[in-house]
Amino acid sequence: VDPETKALNYTVYLRHGAEQAKTVATILREVHERFAGKELRTAVCGSGGRGIAEAIGAFYIQEVVANSVAVRELYPEARVAIEPGGQDAKIVFFHYDPESRQLVASDMRMNGSCAGGTGAFLDEVASLLQIEVEEFESYAARGTQVYDISGRCGVFAKSDIQPLLNQGVSREDIALSTCHAVARQTIGGLA
């Protein structure tokens, strides 16, 4: 991110598959090649982030805090930010503070250790539907009927989905129903 304009100069998304350090090393090599000779400031957040930050001499920031700072800076009109992560889900409520004239995070919530309603949950359902998770949204967009699927637990969701598949319900409707379940879980469990 350009510190002056806040323009995004480079972005990459890689799944680390529980090999965070190896993935960070790959990204840092690519950044070094792309921005050779430029002075960069680095911050690390997320799963395994603290240890990686210490190892490379970078600043560590907890991921919910990092997301809150980004929302405050880039989307000052926002009042709620929802992030379904890989293994957990977070929701942050904001209010505008007239005294400081800034957006302030007034409440931050995170689900427990269950992956219900998270990226891992979507990965599991995509696998069950035999589609790539990157295609999930396009399938859901073509869905027309919402069926009741548990968003609380991947095992319960599979128990709900398998009979639907056996009955011939389309993958599009199951993807849509899964997104509905994730939204219901996030709103009911966190909001």
Side-chain angles (χ1 to χ4, degrees):
V1 175
D2 183 285
E4 304 282 322
T5 66
K6 307 293 187 226
L8 188 61
N9 292 327
Y10 175 73
T11 182
V12 62
Y13 178 83
L14 295 175
R15 288 174 175 250
H16 58 69
E19 293 184 343
Q20 295 96 324
K22 183 178 174 183
T23 305
V24 168
T26 299
I27 292 170
L28 288 177
R29 277 192 292 279
E30 193 170 317
V31 167
H32 177 71
E33 290 172 12
R34 189 177 287 255
F35 298 98
K38 297 213 178 180
E39 187 175 322
L40 303 173
R41 292 175 53 200
T42 305
V44 179
C45 64
S47 177
R50 185 179 303 276
I52 289 169
E54 290 171 4
I56 66 173
F59 178 75
Y60 172 77
I61 183 168
Q62 201 280 339
E63 65 189 278
V64 178
V65 175
N67 288 335
S68 297
V69 170
V71 169
R72 184 184 71 211
E73 294 296 317
L74 300 172
Y75 304 100
E77 70 285 352
R79 294 301 174 260
V80 178
I82 299 170
E83 186 215 336
Q87 296 292 326
D88 52 35
K90 306 112 182 138
I91 189 167
V92 181
F93 297 91
F94 297 92
H95 73 273
Y96 181 77
D97 179 25
E99 192 172 306
S100 68
R101 292 197 237 175
Q102 284 196 328
L103 197 61
V104 176
S106 55
D107 191 9
M108 298 178 182
R109 301 176 190 176
M110 199 166 165
N111 69 344
S113 58
C114 179
T118 68
F121 179 84
L122 294 175
D123 281 343
E124 286 293 319
V125 175
S127 175
L128 188 61
L129 297 178
Q130 298 178 341
I131 62 173
E132 297 295 319
V133 74
E134 292 80 9
E135 298 176 288
F136 207 93
E137 181 182 3
S138 66
Y139 273 78
R142 294 189 306 269
T144 58
Q145 173 82 31
V146 174
Y147 294 87
D148 193 29
I149 293 175
S150 173
R152 190 155 180 80
C153 174
V155 174
F156 294 157
K158 285 181 180 181
S159 297
D160 292 339
I161 292 170
Q162 195 56 60
L164 294 172
L165 287 171
N166 294 344
Q167 294 166 22
V169 172
S170 72
R171 293 185 294 177
E172 290 81 0
D173 283 349
I174 292 174
L176 174 63
S177 301
T178 301
C179 290
H180 185 263
V182 168
R184 202 175 58 236
Q185 171 64 20
T186 301
I187 292 168
L190 294 175

